[in-house]
């Protein structure tokens, strides 16, 4: 198994542009999590899906952030418009049943908004 | 609101020292507590704790959970420079929530 696959690995964009981050969970996992990691705030849970349905999006910082999971093998996190304070590493993780069973991180996307 | 709080936020020690990292939590529907080590990339799994008072050990690392007082500690004995990393505590309830981490620096 290739693990949780995130793309791109690095993204540099200008303020105001739309950014789309992608995640492919491990096959068979039915829960998917998006996190943002910064020095100041640590690893924050943004949203998680169970069986492709968003369960808790209370961590999504603003309306500029949106996440979708159209099927069991793909999710996107979109920021529109992006701002410099969105610069962070964004991690995706997947597991069985919403918790720690099989819990696996992707390698992350380092986003820089200039 | 669910909370996972780690302390200290950062720690600098010398090789050979022993360190203790702390994690306290307030969550509903607690299922387990996990420790991760993060170096340059994604966090890697260290321990999963579900029962109070049972120590988990892996080499120089060990961890224990107290479900009555709602905390866990991670001990590292005889630290080495390769132990330098961010150590993350996570609590599994209906999802997985992480603390802010402890940044450990081990100097030669």
């Amino acid at each position: 198994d290739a693990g949780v696959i995130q793309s791109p690995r690095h993204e540099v964009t200008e303020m105001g542009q739309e950014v789309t981050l992608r995640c492919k969970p491990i096959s068979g996992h039915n829960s998917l999590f998006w996190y943002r990691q910064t020095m100041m705030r640590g690893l924050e849970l943004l949203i998680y899906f169970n069986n492709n349905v968003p369960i808790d999006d209370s961590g999504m910082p603003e309306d500029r952030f949106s996440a979708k999971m159209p099927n069991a093998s793909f999710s996107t996190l979109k920021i529109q418009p992006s701002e410099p304070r969105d610069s962070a590493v964004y991690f995706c993780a997947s597991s069985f049943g919403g918790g720690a069973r099989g819990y696996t991180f992707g390698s992350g996307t380092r986003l820089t908004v200039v | 609101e669910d909370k996972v709080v780690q302390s200290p936020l950062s720690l600098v020690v010398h090789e050979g020292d022993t360190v203790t990292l702390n994690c306290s939590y307030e969550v509903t529907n607690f299922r387990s507590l996990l420790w991760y080590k993060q170096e340059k990339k994604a966090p890697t799994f260290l321990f999963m704790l579900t029962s109070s008072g049972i120590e988990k050990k892996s080499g120089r690392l060990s961890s224990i959970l107290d479900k009555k007082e709602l905390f866990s500690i991670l001990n590292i004995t005889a630290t080495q420079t390769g132990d330098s990393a961010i150590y993350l505590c996570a609590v599994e309830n209906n999802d997985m929530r992480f603390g802010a981490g402890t940044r450990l620096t081990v100097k030669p």
Side-chain angles (χ1 to χ4, degrees), chain A residues 1 7 10 12 35 37 39 42 47 49-50 55 66 68 96:
Chain A
D1 195 327
S7 64
H10 302 274
V12 180
Y35 295 89
Q37 188 175 37
M39 288 281 289
I47 185 170
F49 295 84
N50 211 35
I55 303 299
S66 62
K68 292 183 180 177
F96 297 108

Side-chain angles (χ1 to χ4, degrees), chain A residues 26-84:
Chain A
I26 288 176
S27 176
H29 281 186
N30 65 342
S31 297
L32 184 141
F33 306 79
W34 282 102
Y35 295 89
R36 176 174 68 177
Q37 188 175 37
T38 60
M39 288 281 289
M40 295 294 293
R41 300 175 69 92
L43 196 62
E44 302 172 275
L45 178 63
L46 300 178
I47 185 170
Y48 83 97
F49 295 84
N50 211 35
N51 296 320
N52 312 338
V53 175
I55 303 299
D56 183 356
D57 65 355
S58 59
M60 296 285 262
E62 315 173 16
D63 290 346
R64 299 184 295 106
F65 285 68
S66 62
K68 292 183 180 177
M69 192 162 186
N71 57 62
S73 58
F74 183 65
S75 177
T76 59
L77 178 68
K78 188 177 289 187
I79 309 172
Q80 165 63 18
S82 57
E83 296 182 4

Side-chain angles (χ1 to χ4, degrees), chain B residues 87-100:
Chain B
Y87 290 84
L88 294 162
C89 168
V91 173
E92 176 196 8
N93 51 357
N94 299 316
D95 53 46
M96 287 278 284
R97 295 202 180 250
F98 285 79

